[in-house]
Amino acid sequence: MTRRPTGEPHPGSCERPDGDGSHAESTAPPHVPELAAPELTEAECRRCGTYIAGLDGRYACGVCGWVNDHSEGHRRLPRADEDPDRPPKGRRRPKQLPGPPAPQDPGPFAVSGTGG
């Protein structure tokens, strides 16, 4: 066993070399740039003429189903790492519960309820 001078942290210890013992650096989430709030925009549907609203120039018509291309928006779309609602890394989707059991085949000798 090798002796360390007193006051030196153990290998793998959470203490930083400068000795303040804070864990702020290791547990703080990565810096995410502040996103500007989307602008509510309005236009007429190009297919049916319905008055529609969208965000940053991106529209979808609820009457006829028309959608404009994402590249027509006023600003670029944020990347996944810029999304403030993105789940933390390492989190997995929950497992799907099994569905209801499949109906059983009664077989050729099943008794019907008609009597006889």
Side-chain angles (χ1 to χ4, degrees), residues 85-112:
D85 298 325
R86 183 180 186 189
K89 287 188 177 186
R91 181 176 161 197
R92 293 188 221 158
R93 289 184 169 203
K95 290 184 179 180
Q96 292 289 327
L97 296 175
Q104 299 262 335
D105 183 24
F109 301 109
V111 178
S112 69

Side-chain angles (χ1 to χ4, degrees), residues 2 4 8-15:
T2 306
R4 287 183 297 279
E8 186 176 320
H10 304 291
S13 163
C14 292
E15 287 189 38

